[in-house]
Amino acid sequence: MKKLFLLSCMVLAMAACKTSSATSTKVDSKSQVAIKGNWTVSSVTYPGSDYIKINSFGLADSKCFEGSAWKFVSNNNSGEMSLTKSNCAAFSSPIKWFINKEGQFILKILSAGEKAKKVRDGYVLTVNVQDENNFQLIDKINVGNKPTDVVYQFQKTN
């Protein structure tokens, strides 16, 4: 069984990072098929969000992900994501992803033309509250030595 070591960072006056590992690569096909299609992140919430800025996926402030568009293709675990919120840097990228049997959502953000097997870094989040029109991805971070959940609320767009 392969272990995938991943890094997620948060910025608060200085950088603090956490490491997570995906312990299973066995795919949960039912969960994957349920999120096939186009989605929008309707909100990003966490305790202290008025005072603490979090850099999500090493790309941008977590609030820049609100309104972002995501496409998930379940038969080949590919897709794309785009940040388009005003006052935030625009960003678009292909992604590779899967949901394992433990309910972990494994995400790799790729550069154009890059193969997923060449990308060593990625992100491990937890899938929560999943139905045909909504689901949440939860990132566990450490704020002041306290575990904190960053909740990405997804809403189906088609």
Side-chain angles (χ1 to χ4, degrees):
M1 183 179 315
K2 283 186 175 179
K3 284 192 176 182
L4 177 64
F5 291 97
L6 306 167
L7 183 63
S8 175
C9 295
M10 179 203 90
V11 177
L12 172 64
M14 63 177 151
C17 300
K18 73 170 179 99
T19 301
S20 300
S21 63
T23 57
S24 174
T25 57
K26 290 189 177 192
V27 173
D28 181 349
S29 297
K30 183 178 177 184
S31 292
Q32 286 190 179
V33 169
I35 66 168
K36 178 175 124 180
N38 297 312
W39 298 79
T40 299
V41 174
S42 57
S43 66
V44 179
T45 57
Y46 52 93
S49 63
D50 293 338
Y51 308 103
I52 301 168
K53 297 236 181 252
I54 298 196
N55 183 334
S56 293
F57 308 111
L59 296 173
D61 180 80
S62 61
K63 295 300 180 180
C64 290
F65 282 80
E66 292 177 341
S68 62
W70 295 69
K71 180 179 181 178
F72 298 105
V73 181
S74 61
N75 65 338
N76 67 1
N77 302 100
S78 67
E80 50 190 71
M81 55 87 66
S82 297
L83 303 180
T84 58
K85 189 171 185 175
S86 61
N87 298 326
C88 293
F91 179 82
S92 185
S93 178
I95 60 173
K96 278 295 200 180
W97 63 280
F98 71 92
I99 301 172
N100 69 17
K101 295 283 188 182
E102 282 87 32
Q104 293 175 315
F105 182 92
I106 315 306
L107 172 68
K108 288 185 177 185
I109 299 172
L110 310 175
S111 297
E114 189 173 33
K115 300 282 187 195
K117 65 183 177 183
K118 299 280 186 183
V119 176
R120 299 188 68 110
D121 295 330
Y123 304 89
V124 178
L125 298 97
T126 302
V127 179
N128 192 36
V129 188
Q130 184 180 14
D131 65 32
E132 63 275 358
N133 295 310
N134 299 283
F135 74 95
Q136 295 175 341
L137 291 180
I138 300 174
D139 191 9
K140 301 239 182 243
I141 64 167
N142 188 347
V143 177
N145 290 326
K146 286 185 175 179
T148 301
D149 289 347
V150 179
V151 180
Y152 300 88
Q153 181 68 49
F154 284 77
Q155 186 171 11
K156 186 97 171 184
T157 56
N158 71 351

